[in-house]
Amino acid sequence: EVQLVESGGGLVQPGGSLRLSCSGSGFTFGSYAMSWFRQAPGTGLEWVAGIKNDGSSPLYITSVTGRFTISRDNAKNTLYLQMNSLKPEDTAVYSCAKQDSSFGGSVEKRGQGTLVAVLS
C-alpha cells in the first residue's frame, strides 16, 4: 500500500522558515515524480511545486518562486520543501503527492498533510 506521511509544519512568524518532509513507502520512491500541494482555509487545492524522479527540473507556482525549494533524497525515500520568507498567505495545509510517472503526470496518491500557519 502506498503511504505518504508529511511532517514539519507548525506556527511561524512572517519572514520565518520551515522545512517540510514527506516520507514515502509502499512503492519505489526513486521511480516517480513527486509534488507538493496546499489548501488554505476556505479555498481549493493548489499545486505548489514538483520534481522529477531523479531530482531534476524543479517547478514552482509563481507565488513561491525564489522562496521555496523542493528537493528529494531517494536513498531515504523522502521529499522536502524548504520554505523561506514565509508570508501570511502561505498559511495552509501542505500535502505531498506521488505522480504516475518519472517526469510528472496525474496524482496517484496524496498524503493527509501538515498545517503551516504564518501569523504575527
Side-chain angles (χ1 to χ4, degrees), residues 31-52:
S31 294
Y32 294 92
M34 299 287 292
S35 284
W36 285 100
F37 287 80
R38 68 185 179 185
Q39 187 164 19
T43 70
L45 191 65
E46 179 179 55
W47 174 85
V48 175
I51 191 167
K52 291 184 178 180

Side-chain angles (χ1 to χ4, degrees), residues 43-120:
T43 70
L45 191 65
E46 179 179 55
W47 174 85
V48 175
I51 191 167
K52 291 184 178 180
N53 69 311
D54 62 358
S56 66
S57 304
L59 293 173
Y60 304 92
I61 194 172
T62 302
S63 60
V64 308
T65 299
R67 300 189 297 123
F68 290 12
T69 302
I70 187 172
S71 63
R72 62 192 297 162
D73 185 338
N74 289 340
K76 296 182 178 179
N77 290 350
T78 303
L79 177 73
Y80 302 101
L81 186 67
Q82 177 67 43
M83 305 185 296
N84 299 329
S85 302
L86 282 160
K87 303 176 181 181
E89 53 264 42
D90 294 318
T91 295
V93 174
Y94 285 73
S95 56
C96 63
K98 172 188 178 290
Q99 294 172 258
D100 66 1
S101 76
S102 62
F103 55 87
S106 301
V107 170
E108 287 191 326
K109 177 81 172 183
R110 195 162 55 85
Q112 295 280 58
T114 185
L115 176 63
V116 172
V118 186
L119 301 171
S120 55

Side-chain angles (χ1 to χ4, degrees), residues 16-36:
S17 298
L18 283 174
R19 188 176 82 154
L20 305 184
S21 298
C22 166
S23 178
S25 61
F27 65 105
T28 306
F29 186 84
S31 294
Y32 294 92
M34 299 287 292
S35 284
W36 285 100

